Amino acid sequence: MTDLDGKKRPLIAIAASFLLVVCISLVAVQGWSIYSARETQLAQSAAATANMARALADHADSTIELVDTILASVVESVQHDGITHYGERLHLHLIDHVSRTPSLQGMYIYDASGNWALHSLREPIPVLNNADREYVVYHKTHKDKLAHVGPPIRSRSTGTWVLPVSRRLEDKNGNFIGVALATVQLSFFRTFYDSFDIGKEGNITIALDSGALVMRRPYVQENIGMSIAREPMFKQWRATPASRAVPVDLDTLDRMYSYRPLRRYPLFVAVGLSTDETLANWWANAYISTAWVVILLLVLMWMGLRLFRQVTLRDELEEQLRNAQLALVTKNRSLKLLARNDGLTGIANRRLFDARLDAEFNRAVRDGTSLALVLLDVDFFKKYNDHYGHPAGDACLQFIGQCIRTGRRRAGNLAARVGGEEFAILLPNTDLYGAIVVAESVRRSIASAGREHQANPAGIVTISCGVHALVPTKGMESKQLVEAADKALYLAKSTGRNRVCPDAPAASSRRERASILGS
């Protein structure tokens, strides 16, 4: 390489670095701008839903409070005059209240048996008994004198859906003598909710704390009175009853919800705006701004490429030569790696294992050190292939190879694939006990992974391990170590599989062999 080439390369690197920094900066600024705009849009949506929920809750609270105030005055009049003093004057009084209060559907007074004693209807109606209604049952069993808001019901006098607000009637001794009832028209809430712009996918809900649905926009009459206690929106309300915006997946739509409880009554209001609709403008702006940034980046890249082409034109042949040399080196490395490593599992192949076995065996002979070998076999692997298919079998072998690689303990140990489903771990300077520890660690890691294997009685992928260790002497051959480990592997398979079995040296006593197996 000439001195001129040496001077050009830093210049090219500086120019390329500068162009890269500019491109990364543009992308970073664009990304931050998009992210900030999204967070701002979501924050505005959260504020809008919170404000709307507060307004709707205040409206509902004021509506019920007005009805409750009228109801309280009626209760006071009835309890002052007595249950037997109902008359036309009070009837007209009830009619007047209903006519001057848009939210009221009607007002009614029931005796202790649930019979209609008086009502605000102008036309006479058949004598009805409402002893089965929830509010009558409630006041019979509860002595509190506060207003009770019950679940929505369909009026038996008009057939419309209403929200009952009731109070207990008592005599001077505190005994139950009846119920005063005022019914709020649900259509009053519906009309009010329709005046708000919540988009096509927006949602407004008012419900009792118990989960009974009072009104929801979009309006579905069949849903009035049903329980929404299992809806994610209601569960979120129970978890965080304060007014806040949270994403909830409801009706397969992602909405930002804000909740607001009524101050005086056991109801809450939830307002949800569709996240997709909220972010529609943000998406449009993001696409446009990103398109301009991409165009700018393409222009910068084109100009940079043109500049680099002019700078590197004269030494293009030298660059090609260098690339060819680098490719040759890389190819040689790849070929060397393929010659040494198994293509499927990435660990050493049989060729490298045989070479290392002979080398480590000779070294152990010279140094008088112990050499251990672990042979591993995947239990019922042919049945695994037949049941799950060969691609799954290859994946299983890769998993086994990874477990063996991580379980070989020391860098000097060699993990290799020596056959189809057969593996080996060569352990220099390791006695039989140390080899058993390594084998057992690998066996446990594979079994604990719980990889399914229905054809294996254990139900999971397991391995069997044969272990042998010796201190070789002159005249011995490395195949003796392999044969002994293979014999131990056969013993592991024949005694139930999924275990580690050593093959103790011939000179070991039966007691020593039992001690090793027990460890």
Side-chain angles (χ1 to χ4, degrees):
M1 186 180 295
T2 63
D3 293 340
L4 183 59
D5 290 336
K7 294 178 180 179
K8 286 181 178 180
R9 285 199 171 275
L11 180 61
I12 295 175
I14 293 173
S17 299
F18 176 76
L19 181 60
L20 181 62
V21 169
V22 171
C23 292
I24 292 176
S25 299
L26 284 173
V27 172
V29 170
Q30 175 63 10
W32 175 252
S33 176
I34 291 176
Y35 173 78
S36 299
R38 183 181 186 277
E39 292 302 304
T40 300
Q41 189 69 39
L42 290 177
Q44 291 175 350
S45 175
T49 56
N51 292 335
M52 192 180 302
R54 183 182 297 107
L56 293 174
D58 290 344
H59 170 264
D61 199 74
S62 299
T63 299
I64 299 175
E65 183 184 21
L66 175 60
V67 171
D68 185 28
T69 301
I70 297 172
L71 187 63
S73 67
V74 172
V75 169
E76 182 180 0
S77 176
V78 171
Q79 295 194 151
H80 180 269
D81 296 336
I83 194 71
T84 60
H85 289 81
Y86 299 130
E88 184 62 22
R89 183 177 59 82
L90 185 55
H91 179 217
L92 295 175
H93 188 54
L94 295 181
I95 293 175
D96 181 61
H97 278 308
V98 173
S99 64
R100 290 189 293 107
T101 308
S103 60
L104 269 177
Q105 180 268 342
M107 298 189 72
Y108 311 88
I109 296 176
Y110 304 92
D111 62 20
S113 299
N115 295 314
W116 287 36
L118 198 64
H119 56 77
S120 61
L121 303 177
R122 296 181 181 274
E123 300 296 331
I125 60 172
V127 177
L128 297 175
N129 183 280
N130 278 15
D132 59 330
R133 290 295 200 186
E134 183 272 344
Y135 50 83
V136 176
V137 176
Y138 177 85
H139 288 300
K140 279 185 177 181
T141 56
H142 294 76
K143 292 189 176 182
D144 59 274
K145 298 180 180 180
L146 298 176
H148 170 66
V149 181
I153 56 175
R154 187 183 289 275
S155 173
R156 287 173 176 167
S157 59
T158 64
T160 59
W161 281 98
V162 295
L163 182 67
V165 181
S166 58
R167 282 179 175 264
R168 175 184 170 98
L169 295 176
E170 296 180 346
D171 60 17
K172 295 180 179 179
N173 297 322
N175 298 317
F176 175 73
I177 61 171
V179 175
L181 172 71
T183 54
V184 180
Q185 301 182 75
L186 294 190
S187 59
F188 179 77
F189 292 109
R190 180 184 176 187
T191 301
F192 185 67
Y193 293 167
D194 286 344
S195 65
F196 286 85
D197 181 11
I198 57 173
K200 295 181 179 180
E201 304 295 342
N203 181 298
I204 297 177
T205 300
I206 180 170
L208 293 174
D209 288 354
S210 63
L213 180 65
V214 175
M215 178 59 65
R216 172 175 284 173
R217 176 185 171 191
Y219 176 73
V220 179
Q221 180 173 291
E222 290 74 13
N223 293 342
I224 296 177
M226 74 174 187
S227 175
I228 61 172
R230 294 188 177 182
E231 288 188 4
M233 181 270 291
F234 185 82
K235 293 179 180 179
Q236 184 65 51
W237 149 250
R238 280 299 192 192
T240 56
S243 178
R244 54 179 296 205
V246 291
V248 175
D249 184 16
L250 181 64
D251 302 330
T252 70
L253 292 176
D254 188 21
R255 295 189 179 97
M256 295 294 295
Y257 272 93
S258 284
Y259 306 95
R260 191 75 177 184
L262 272 64
R263 294 190 302 273
R264 304 176 184 84
Y265 304 100
L267 295 95
F268 74 95
V269 172
V271 177
L273 298 182
S274 169
T275 304
D276 290 339
E277 291 182 344
T278 299
L279 296 177
N281 291 333
W282 172 81
W283 277 113
N285 293 332
Y287 285 140
I288 294 174
S289 61
T290 301
W292 280 111
V293 170
V294 170
I295 293 173
L296 181 58
L297 288 174
L298 292 175
V299 171
L300 288 174
M301 292 175 63
W302 177 79
M303 293 178 63
L305 290 175
R306 293 282 296 176
L307 176 62
F308 298 151
R309 183 62 179 171
Q310 293 298 323
V311 174
T312 60
L313 185 60
R314 287 182 297 178
D315 59 345
E316 185 174 344
L317 293 177
E318 289 82 356
E319 185 67 24
Q320 292 177 358
L321 178 60
R322 286 191 293 270
N323 291 339
Q325 291 173 341
L326 179 60
L328 181 60
V329 171
T330 303
K331 189 67 175 178
N332 289 337
R333 290 177 179 173
S334 299
L335 292 175
K336 185 177 180 181
L337 185 63
L338 290 174
R340 294 165 55 90
N341 287 14
D342 176 59
L344 178 62
T345 62
I347 61 177
N349 59 16
R350 181 61 182 264
R351 179 181 299 177
L352 178 58
F353 171 77
D354 290 340
R356 281 286 300 277
L357 175 62
D358 291 339
E360 294 296 344
F361 195 88
N362 292 333
R363 180 184 300 172
V365 171
R366 292 194 307 270
D367 300 342
T369 56
S370 177
L371 179 64
L373 176 65
V374 179
L375 290 182
L376 310 92
D377 188 87
V378 183
D379 295 332
F380 302 104
F381 185 72
K382 184 178 183 304
K383 293 182 178 180
Y384 187 93
N385 265 341
D386 293 341
H387 184 80
Y388 296 99
H390 288 282
D394 290 344
C396 180
L397 292 177
Q398 291 172 340
F399 162 72
I400 299 294
Q402 178 63 29
C403 292
I404 294 174
R405 181 190 293 113
T406 56
R408 62 183 178 177
R409 297 297 178 103
R410 296 181 302 184
N413 299 339
L414 177 69
R417 182 186 179 196
V418 296
E421 69 273 17
E422 298 177 356
F423 297 83
I425 305 177
L426 187 62
L427 305 165
N429 298 314
T430 305
D431 59 11
L432 183 60
Y433 176 77
I436 290 175
V437 171
V438 172
E440 182 63 23
S441 173
V442 174
R443 186 196 68 79
R444 287 181 179 175
S445 68
I446 292 173
S448 64
R451 198 180 187 95
E452 181 181 328
H453 186 354
Q454 294 184 1
N456 189 344
I460 58 174
V461 173
T462 60
I463 62 169
S464 299
C465 303
V467 183
H468 188 66
L470 52 76
V471 179
T473 59
K474 290 184 179 180
M476 295 180 68
E477 296 182 357
S478 60
K479 67 179 182 178
Q480 293 177 252
L481 177 62
V482 177
E483 290 171 353
D486 189 62
K487 182 179 178 183
L489 176 59
Y490 177 78
L491 179 61
K493 290 183 177 181
S494 63
T495 55
R497 303 179 188 264
N498 189 22
R499 63 192 63 208
V500 176
C501 288
D503 185 68
S508 299
S509 67
R510 186 179 301 274
R511 183 175 180 181
E512 291 172 334
R513 184 184 181 110
S515 174
I516 293 173
L517 285 169
S519 64

